[in-house]
Amino acid sequence: MNQHTRKIVDQFSKQAIYFARIPGHAEATPLLIDSARVSPHDQVLDVACGAGGVACEAARIAHHVTGIDVTPAMIQQAKTLQSQQALSNVTWHTGDVTQLPFPANNFDVVLTRYSFHHFIDPAGVLAEMVRVCKPNGRVLVADLVLPPEKIAAYDRMEKLRDPTHVGVLTESRLRELFATYGLSNLQCCGYAFDLGLDQLMQASFPNSGNTDHVRDLIVGDLGVDDLGIKVHLRDNAVWFSYPIAMVVGTKEA
Ligand SMILES: C[S@@+](CC[C@H](N)C(=O)[O-])C[C@H]1O[C@@H](n2cnc3c(N)ncnc32)[C@H](O)[C@@H]1O
């Protein structure tokens, strides 16, 4: 396991319980399943599945869903969710998604949510997703995207909040990657994922001394929007909106 992956496991072992409880994660999940056109005969792979919210939602429709994540504590949360929902058609793997432990042309749908900004080589992970997808299957990536001029300030703040953050992509870079790896029929849509600053900080484990700095950077962005996440007040509390893009493409036959 390389140093970055060790940091991921350390950070998400701390975040696991809190991440699973963040309201709003579940709300956008049906849109994702719909966009990937998951159907009852499908074998689905959820890459960096985390606490299993997307995989379990897909399992309500698909024939079978496989979730893979490198953080055992996240997989544990996913197993708990699966048993709460009494789903029998889900299998979990603990492993690194930079080399997916599955044969080529194996899944009808390969998707990932909120993971690309954690990858040192997102193009390499996308190549792996395409490899394990069947011809005519769908590949979907959903993640925060920002205009180029917002990325430096956002990445700086986010690396302080979560030391495993690598970098946000622009939507056009994401689409470019899809085209590079032979995905066609590209469809893109977006949604806003709203979160309160207090909820975010409860689920955050910055390196010591950085908590106040992160809060200050977000609060200081009220009415400025250097970070690109539209910081605003709601009932006197600080909230913001992550702009999420979902890109879906078909693997050419
Ligand atoms: C922000 S969470 C998203 C979880 C889930 N996809 C969701 O949308 O709820 C990011 C997840 O990516 C996982 N992750 C990051 N890098 C990984 C890698 N190289 N291999 C496997 N999992 C990874 C982390 O363990 C974490 O569970």
Side-chain angles (χ1 to χ4, degrees):
M1 197 181 283
N2 64 34
Q3 199 192 356
H4 180 67
T5 314
R6 273 200 298 274
K7 269 205 295 190
I8 291 274
V9 174
D10 176 56
Q11 178 64 212
F12 281 98
S13 298
K14 293 177 194 150
Q15 286 192 27
I17 290 176
Y18 304 92
F19 187 90
R21 287 184 194 153
I22 288 181
H25 276 157
E27 280 164 28
T29 312
L31 178 63
L32 203 94
I33 306 305
D34 212 38
S35 300
R37 304 191 297 284
V38 174
S39 70
H41 296 294
D42 284 344
Q43 299 278 349
V44 176
L45 175 65
D46 185 359
V47 168
C49 63
V54 173
C56 288
E57 187 72 25
R60 293 168 180 277
I61 299 170
H63 179 65
H64 189 270
V65 180
T66 303
I68 177 166
D69 198 284
V70 77
T71 307
M74 287 298 240
I75 292 290
Q76 197 47 53
Q77 290 296 316
K79 286 181 177 167
T80 302
L81 186 66
Q82 177 194 2
S83 84
Q84 282 166 353
Q85 300 190 358
L87 294 164
S88 56
N89 58 338
V90 192
T91 309
W92 307 105
H93 286 257
T94 304
D96 191 334
V97 303
T98 55
Q99 284 185 309
L100 291 171
F102 307 109
N105 308 323
N106 201 55
F107 297 97
D108 302 284
V109 175
V110 183
L111 49 81
T112 188
R113 183 182 74 170
Y114 306 158
S115 63
F116 258 42
H117 60 273
H118 292 293
F119 299 147
I120 287 172
D121 178 18
V125 176
L126 186 63
E128 275 293 273
M129 292 173 71
V130 174
R131 180 184 67 78
V132 300
C133 184
K134 291 178 187 169
N136 292 320
R138 282 86 65 208
V139 173
L140 179 147
V141 175
D143 206 2
L144 171 69
V145 289
L146 289 171
E149 68 277 12
K150 307 283 185 193
I151 286 180
Y154 179 85
D155 282 349
R156 179 170 160 261
M157 178 282 292
E158 185 62 3
K159 282 177 185 172
L160 290 171
R161 188 195 72 80
D162 176 349
T164 68
H165 179 77
V166 174
V168 167
L169 300 178
T170 60
E171 184 176 329
S172 63
R173 175 66 184 141
L174 200 51
R175 293 168 68 119
E176 209 175 87
L177 286 177
F178 269 58
T180 304
Y181 289 98
L183 296 163
S184 57
N185 286 328
L186 291 199
Q187 293 185 337
C188 302
C189 68
Y191 61 90
F193 171 29
D194 287 3
L195 193 60
L197 178 57
D198 288 341
Q199 291 167 317
L200 175 75
M201 295 315 291
Q202 275 161 17
S204 299
F205 298 87
N207 290 333
S208 76
N210 285 341
T211 304
D212 288 346
H213 192 184
V214 171
R215 276 189 170 276
D216 289 349
L217 286 172
I218 294 178
V219 174
D221 206 39
L222 259 168
V224 179
D225 204 31
D226 275 346
L227 299 173
I229 54 172
K230 297 190 174 57
V231 181
H232 55 278
L233 289 178
R234 196 184 281 188
D235 298 330
N236 288 324
V238 176
W239 281 64
F240 52 87
S241 287
Y242 289 122
I244 308 296
M246 272 191 309
V247 183
V248 192
T250 303
K251 178 171 170 177
E252 282 164 13

